[in-house]
mmCIF file of all heavy atoms in Angstrom:
data_model
loop_
_atom_site.group_PDB
_atom_site.id
_atom_site.type_symbol
_atom_site.label_atom_id
_atom_site.label_comp_id
_atom_site.label_asym_id
_atom_site.label_seq_id
_atom_site.Cartn_x
_atom_site.Cartn_y
_atom_site.Cartn_z
ATOM 1 N N THR A 182 57.321 -13.014 4.968
ATOM 2 C CA THR A 182 57.506 -14.209 5.799
ATOM 3 C C THR A 182 58.954 -14.683 5.730
ATOM 4 O O THR A 182 59.555 -14.699 4.660
ATOM 5 C CB THR A 182 56.574 -15.336 5.320
ATOM 6 O OG1 THR A 182 55.226 -14.870 5.386
ATOM 7 C CG2 THR A 182 56.709 -16.576 6.188
ATOM 8 N N HIS A 183 59.500 -15.052 6.892
ATOM 9 C CA HIS A 183 60.865 -15.567 6.989
ATOM 10 C C HIS A 183 60.884 -16.766 7.929
ATOM 11 O O HIS A 183 60.101 -16.842 8.869
ATOM 12 C CB HIS A 183 61.826 -14.497 7.525
ATOM 13 C CG HIS A 183 61.928 -13.297 6.656
ATOM 14 N ND1 HIS A 183 62.696 -13.263 5.524
ATOM 15 C CD2 HIS A 183 61.347 -12.083 6.753
ATOM 16 C CE1 HIS A 183 62.585 -12.077 4.957
ATOM 17 N NE2 HIS A 183 61.771 -11.336 5.688
ATOM 18 N N GLU A 184 61.804 -17.667 7.677
ATOM 19 C CA GLU A 184 62.008 -18.816 8.557
ATOM 20 C C GLU A 184 62.633 -18.336 9.865
ATOM 21 O O GLU A 184 63.475 -17.432 9.855
ATOM 22 C CB GLU A 184 62.942 -19.832 7.896
ATOM 23 C CG GLU A 184 62.391 -20.462 6.638
ATOM 24 C CD GLU A 184 61.224 -21.399 6.896
ATOM 25 O OE1 GLU A 184 61.257 -22.135 7.894
ATOM 26 O OE2 GLU A 184 60.281 -21.388 6.094
ATOM 27 N N PHE A 185 62.238 -18.924 10.985
ATOM 28 C CA PHE A 185 62.849 -18.611 12.265
ATOM 29 C C PHE A 185 64.218 -19.288 12.327
ATOM 30 O O PHE A 185 64.392 -20.403 11.828
ATOM 31 C CB PHE A 185 62.001 -19.113 13.438
ATOM 32 C CG PHE A 185 60.653 -18.441 13.558
ATOM 33 C CD1 PHE A 185 59.586 -19.120 14.112
ATOM 34 C CD2 PHE A 185 60.449 -17.140 13.148
ATOM 35 C CE1 PHE A 185 58.354 -18.516 14.250
ATOM 36 C CE2 PHE A 185 59.220 -16.519 13.268
ATOM 37 C CZ PHE A 185 58.166 -17.210 13.827
ATOM 38 N N SER A 186 65.180 -18.634 12.952
ATOM 39 C CA SER A 186 66.509 -19.236 13.076
ATOM 40 C C SER A 186 66.507 -20.367 14.092
ATOM 41 O O SER A 186 67.342 -21.250 14.046
ATOM 42 C CB SER A 186 67.545 -18.172 13.455
ATOM 43 O OG SER A 186 67.172 -17.537 14.654
ATOM 44 N N TYR A 187 65.562 -20.328 15.020
ATOM 45 C CA TYR A 187 65.462 -21.369 16.043
ATOM 46 C C TYR A 187 63.991 -21.725 16.197
ATOM 47 O O TYR A 187 63.167 -20.859 16.462
ATOM 48 C CB TYR A 187 66.020 -20.852 17.364
ATOM 49 C CG TYR A 187 65.902 -21.836 18.501
ATOM 50 C CD1 TYR A 187 66.775 -22.910 18.607
ATOM 51 C CD2 TYR A 187 64.913 -21.704 19.463
ATOM 52 C CE1 TYR A 187 66.664 -23.824 19.648
ATOM 53 C CE2 TYR A 187 64.790 -22.607 20.508
ATOM 54 C CZ TYR A 187 65.673 -23.665 20.590
ATOM 55 O OH TYR A 187 65.546 -24.556 21.610
ATOM 56 N N VAL A 188 63.659 -22.982 15.999
ATOM 57 C CA VAL A 188 62.271 -23.429 16.095
ATOM 58 C C VAL A 188 62.054 -24.059 17.456
ATOM 59 O O VAL A 188 62.734 -25.005 17.834
ATOM 60 C CB VAL A 188 61.937 -24.438 14.969
ATOM 61 C CG1 VAL A 188 60.508 -24.934 15.111
ATOM 62 C CG2 VAL A 188 62.152 -23.811 13.610
ATOM 63 N N ALA A 189 61.107 -23.508 18.217
ATOM 64 C CA ALA A 189 60.840 -24.006 19.569
ATOM 65 C C ALA A 189 59.366 -24.332 19.735
ATOM 66 O O ALA A 189 58.762 -24.033 20.743
ATOM 67 C CB ALA A 189 61.283 -22.986 20.600
ATOM 68 N N GLY A 190 58.782 -24.922 18.750
ATOM 69 C CA GLY A 190 57.362 -25.249 18.815
ATOM 70 C C GLY A 190 56.861 -25.620 17.434
ATOM 71 O O GLY A 190 57.626 -26.020 16.565
ATOM 72 N N LYS A 191 55.568 -25.428 17.246
ATOM 73 C CA LYS A 191 54.970 -25.838 15.982
ATOM 74 C C LYS A 191 55.195 -24.839 14.846
ATOM 75 O O LYS A 191 55.001 -25.165 13.698
ATOM 76 C CB LYS A 191 53.484 -26.107 16.162
ATOM 77 C CG LYS A 191 52.688 -24.908 16.623
ATOM 78 C CD LYS A 191 51.235 -25.258 16.847
ATOM 79 C CE LYS A 191 50.478 -24.028 17.334
ATOM 80 N NZ LYS A 191 49.095 -24.306 17.557
ATOM 81 N N LEU A 192 55.617 -23.616 15.162
ATOM 82 C CA LEU A 192 55.849 -22.611 14.129
ATOM 83 C C LEU A 192 57.295 -22.642 13.654
ATOM 84 O O LEU A 192 58.220 -22.699 14.456
ATOM 85 C CB LEU A 192 55.540 -21.213 14.663
ATOM 86 C CG LEU A 192 54.099 -20.932 15.049
ATOM 87 C CD1 LEU A 192 53.983 -19.537 15.650
ATOM 88 C CD2 LEU A 192 53.192 -21.053 13.852
ATOM 89 N N SER A 193 57.488 -22.595 12.345
ATOM 90 C CA SER A 193 58.846 -22.554 11.801
ATOM 91 C C SER A 193 59.134 -21.245 11.070
ATOM 92 O O SER A 193 60.269 -20.979 10.714
ATOM 93 C CB SER A 193 59.065 -23.729 10.852
ATOM 94 O OG SER A 193 58.167 -23.645 9.759
ATOM 95 N N SER A 194 58.091 -20.436 10.857
ATOM 96 C CA SER A 194 58.275 -19.160 10.181
ATOM 97 C C SER A 194 57.212 -18.176 10.659
ATOM 98 O O SER A 194 56.249 -18.556 11.318
ATOM 99 C CB SER A 194 58.183 -19.334 8.660
ATOM 100 O OG SER A 194 56.872 -19.738 8.297
ATOM 101 N N GLY A 195 57.429 -16.914 10.313
ATOM 102 C CA GLY A 195 56.476 -15.889 10.700
ATOM 103 C C GLY A 195 56.575 -14.686 9.782
ATOM 104 O O GLY A 195 57.549 -14.526 9.045
ATOM 105 N N TYR A 196 55.573 -13.847 9.821
ATOM 106 C CA TYR A 196 55.541 -12.618 9.032
ATOM 107 C C TYR A 196 56.143 -11.514 9.884
ATOM 108 O O TYR A 196 55.653 -11.235 10.964
ATOM 109 C CB TYR A 196 54.099 -12.288 8.641
ATOM 110 C CG TYR A 196 53.992 -11.215 7.592
ATOM 111 C CD1 TYR A 196 53.958 -11.556 6.243
ATOM 112 C CD2 TYR A 196 53.934 -9.872 7.928
ATOM 113 C CE1 TYR A 196 53.869 -10.588 5.268
ATOM 114 C CE2 TYR A 196 53.847 -8.897 6.958
ATOM 115 C CZ TYR A 196 53.804 -9.263 5.625
ATOM 116 O OH TYR A 196 53.721 -8.289 4.663
ATOM 117 N N TYR A 197 57.213 -10.909 9.406
ATOM 118 C CA TYR A 197 57.928 -9.888 10.172
ATOM 119 C C TYR A 197 57.425 -8.501 9.800
ATOM 120 O O TYR A 197 57.220 -8.200 8.626
ATOM 121 C CB TYR A 197 59.432 -9.956 9.879
ATOM 122 C CG TYR A 197 60.131 -11.109 10.545
ATOM 123 C CD1 TYR A 197 59.885 -12.428 10.176
ATOM 124 C CD2 TYR A 197 61.057 -10.880 11.547
ATOM 125 C CE1 TYR A 197 60.542 -13.485 10.783
ATOM 126 C CE2 TYR A 197 61.721 -11.935 12.166
ATOM 127 C CZ TYR A 197 61.455 -13.224 11.776
ATOM 128 O OH TYR A 197 62.105 -14.272 12.371
ATOM 129 N N VAL A 198 57.270 -7.658 10.835
ATOM 130 C CA VAL A 198 56.823 -6.289 10.635
ATOM 131 C C VAL A 198 57.593 -5.386 11.591
ATOM 132 O O VAL A 198 57.751 -5.716 12.766
ATOM 133 C CB VAL A 198 55.309 -6.141 10.926
ATOM 134 C CG1 VAL A 198 54.850 -4.716 10.677
ATOM 135 C CG2 VAL A 198 54.496 -7.114 10.114
ATOM 136 N N ASN A 199 58.083 -4.259 11.098
ATOM 137 C CA ASN A 199 58.690 -3.232 11.941
ATOM 138 C C ASN A 199 57.691 -2.099 12.101
ATOM 139 O O ASN A 199 57.181 -1.582 11.103
ATOM 140 C CB ASN A 199 59.966 -2.659 11.306
ATOM 141 C CG ASN A 199 61.121 -3.604 11.378
ATOM 142 O OD1 ASN A 199 61.196 -4.448 12.255
ATOM 143 N ND2 ASN A 199 62.050 -3.470 10.454
ATOM 144 N N PHE A 200 57.427 -1.724 13.329
ATOM 145 C CA PHE A 200 56.605 -0.559 13.620
ATOM 146 C C PHE A 200 57.540 0.496 14.204
ATOM 147 O O PHE A 200 58.136 0.268 15.246
ATOM 148 C CB PHE A 200 55.526 -0.887 14.656
ATOM 149 C CG PHE A 200 54.489 -1.860 14.176
ATOM 150 C CD1 PHE A 200 54.656 -3.217 14.365
ATOM 151 C CD2 PHE A 200 53.345 -1.413 13.559
ATOM 152 C CE1 PHE A 200 53.704 -4.116 13.942
ATOM 153 C CE2 PHE A 200 52.380 -2.306 13.133
ATOM 154 C CZ PHE A 200 52.553 -3.656 13.314
ATOM 155 N N ILE A 201 57.667 1.615 13.551
ATOM 156 C CA ILE A 201 58.489 2.705 14.057
ATOM 157 C C ILE A 201 57.522 3.750 14.593
ATOM 158 O O ILE A 201 56.623 4.204 13.874
ATOM 159 C CB ILE A 201 59.399 3.277 12.958
ATOM 160 C CG1 ILE A 201 60.319 2.153 12.458
ATOM 161 C CG2 ILE A 201 60.203 4.464 13.499
ATOM 162 C CD1 ILE A 201 61.172 2.526 11.278
ATOM 163 N N PHE A 202 57.693 4.086 15.884
ATOM 164 C CA PHE A 202 56.720 4.953 16.543
ATOM 165 C C PHE A 202 57.383 5.886 17.532
ATOM 166 O O PHE A 202 58.525 5.688 17.926
ATOM 167 C CB PHE A 202 55.660 4.111 17.256
ATOM 168 C CG PHE A 202 56.196 3.274 18.382
ATOM 169 C CD1 PHE A 202 56.187 3.749 19.684
ATOM 170 C CD2 PHE A 202 56.707 2.013 18.158
ATOM 171 C CE1 PHE A 202 56.676 2.982 20.726
ATOM 172 C CE2 PHE A 202 57.194 1.226 19.183
ATOM 173 C CZ PHE A 202 57.182 1.727 20.481
ATOM 174 N N GLU A 203 56.652 6.902 17.934
ATOM 175 C CA GLU A 203 57.062 7.817 18.990
ATOM 176 C C GLU A 203 56.017 7.765 20.086
ATOM 177 O O GLU A 203 54.836 7.554 19.822
ATOM 178 C CB GLU A 203 57.149 9.256 18.469
ATOM 179 C CG GLU A 203 58.331 9.516 17.587
ATOM 180 C CD GLU A 203 58.512 10.988 17.294
ATOM 181 O OE1 GLU A 203 58.390 11.803 18.234
ATOM 182 O OE2 GLU A 203 58.778 11.314 16.138
ATOM 183 N N GLY A 204 56.481 7.988 21.318
ATOM 184 C CA GLY A 204 55.559 8.010 22.437
ATOM 185 C C GLY A 204 56.221 8.540 23.684
ATOM 186 O O GLY A 204 57.436 8.742 23.728
ATOM 187 N N GLU A 205 55.428 8.770 24.668
ATOM 188 C CA GLU A 205 55.917 9.273 25.945
ATOM 189 C C GLU A 205 56.745 8.196 26.654
ATOM 190 O O GLU A 205 56.588 7.008 26.385
ATOM 191 C CB GLU A 205 54.730 9.677 26.828
ATOM 192 C CG GLU A 205 53.922 10.828 26.274
ATOM 193 C CD GLU A 205 54.723 12.106 26.129
ATOM 194 O OE1 GLU A 205 55.546 12.402 27.023
ATOM 195 O OE2 GLU A 205 54.543 12.799 25.113
ATOM 196 N N PRO A 206 57.614 8.603 27.579
ATOM 197 C CA PRO A 206 58.368 7.614 28.351
ATOM 198 C C PRO A 206 57.414 6.622 29.034
ATOM 199 O O PRO A 206 56.347 7.000 29.499
ATOM 200 C CB PRO A 206 59.106 8.464 29.387
ATOM 201 C CG PRO A 206 59.213 9.807 28.758
ATOM 202 C CD PRO A 206 57.956 9.972 27.947
ATOM 203 N N GLY A 207 57.787 5.374 29.034
ATOM 204 C CA GLY A 207 56.958 4.346 29.654
ATOM 205 C C GLY A 207 56.023 3.649 28.687
ATOM 206 O O GLY A 207 55.408 2.643 29.030
ATOM 207 N N ILE A 208 55.911 4.155 27.468
ATOM 208 C CA ILE A 208 54.979 3.546 26.515
ATOM 209 C C ILE A 208 55.430 2.152 26.098
ATOM 210 O O ILE A 208 54.619 1.266 25.883
ATOM 211 C CB ILE A 208 54.757 4.443 25.286
ATOM 212 C CG1 ILE A 208 53.542 3.946 24.503
ATOM 213 C CG2 ILE A 208 55.989 4.508 24.407
ATOM 214 C CD1 ILE A 208 53.042 4.897 23.468
ATOM 215 N N THR A 209 56.745 1.942 26.021
ATOM 216 C CA THR A 209 57.254 0.629 25.616
ATOM 217 C C THR A 209 56.826 -0.440 26.609
ATOM 218 O O THR A 209 56.432 -1.536 26.219
ATOM 219 C CB THR A 209 58.788 0.661 25.469
ATOM 220 O OG1 THR A 209 59.129 1.694 24.544
ATOM 221 C CG2 THR A 209 59.322 -0.651 24.962
ATOM 222 N N LYS A 210 56.861 -0.122 27.886
ATOM 223 C CA LYS A 210 56.429 -1.084 28.905
ATOM 224 C C LYS A 210 54.957 -1.435 28.729
ATOM 225 O O LYS A 210 54.572 -2.608 28.796
ATOM 226 C CB LYS A 210 56.665 -0.508 30.304
ATOM 227 C CG LYS A 210 56.272 -1.456 31.401
ATOM 228 C CD LYS A 210 56.503 -0.865 32.768
ATOM 229 C CE LYS A 210 56.009 -1.840 33.820
ATOM 230 N NZ LYS A 210 56.041 -1.293 35.155
ATOM 231 N N LYS A 211 54.128 -0.426 28.473
ATOM 232 C CA LYS A 211 52.696 -0.671 28.255
ATOM 233 C C LYS A 211 52.468 -1.548 27.029
ATOM 234 O O LYS A 211 51.639 -2.460 27.052
ATOM 235 C CB LYS A 211 51.951 0.652 28.073
ATOM 236 C CG LYS A 211 51.855 1.488 29.310
ATOM 237 C CD LYS A 211 51.127 2.779 28.992
ATOM 238 C CE LYS A 211 51.120 3.719 30.168
ATOM 239 N NZ LYS A 211 50.456 5.000 29.830
ATOM 240 N N LEU A 212 53.205 -1.254 25.962
ATOM 241 C CA LEU A 212 53.051 -2.039 24.739
ATOM 242 C C LEU A 212 53.519 -3.472 24.942
ATOM 243 O O LEU A 212 52.873 -4.413 24.473
ATOM 244 C CB LEU A 212 53.817 -1.380 23.591
ATOM 245 C CG LEU A 212 53.223 -0.070 23.081
ATOM 246 C CD1 LEU A 212 54.197 0.629 22.153
ATOM 247 C CD2 LEU A 212 51.887 -0.297 22.396
ATOM 248 N N LYS A 213 54.636 -3.660 25.647
ATOM 249 C CA LYS A 213 55.124 -5.014 25.920
ATOM 250 C C LYS A 213 54.067 -5.825 26.662
ATOM 251 O O LYS A 213 53.800 -6.977 26.321
ATOM 252 C CB LYS A 213 56.406 -4.973 26.750
ATOM 253 C CG LYS A 213 57.632 -4.621 25.970
ATOM 254 C CD LYS A 213 58.861 -4.622 26.885
ATOM 255 C CE LYS A 213 60.097 -4.180 26.141
ATOM 256 N NZ LYS A 213 61.283 -4.170 26.994
ATOM 257 N N GLU A 214 53.479 -5.228 27.686
ATOM 258 C CA GLU A 214 52.451 -5.924 28.456
ATOM 259 C C GLU A 214 51.253 -6.276 27.580
ATOM 260 O O GLU A 214 50.705 -7.374 27.669
ATOM 261 C CB GLU A 214 52.015 -5.063 29.636
ATOM 262 C CG GLU A 214 53.079 -4.918 30.701
ATOM 263 C CD GLU A 214 52.757 -3.875 31.759
ATOM 264 O OE1 GLU A 214 51.724 -3.171 31.635
ATOM 265 O OE2 GLU A 214 53.549 -3.753 32.715
#
């Protein structure tokens, strides 16, 4: 958990996670959605 550098609501911190993955072109768009 780390404090957010900019608070824009009721949350002031969050649990950070990095997911490193491979996928076909276009997968990032699907994941974002």
Side-chain angles (χ1 to χ4, degrees):
T182 302
H183 298 280
E184 296 291 321
F185 295 151
S186 57
Y187 177 77
V188 178
K191 61 183 179 180
L192 296 176
S193 62
S194 65
Y196 192 91
Y197 285 68
V198 182
N199 286 333
F200 294 91
I201 300 174
F202 64 93
E203 287 190 44
E205 296 298 321
I208 194 167
T209 304
K210 181 180 177 187
K211 290 179 186 178
L212 290 169
K213 283 181 184 180
E214 291 170 355

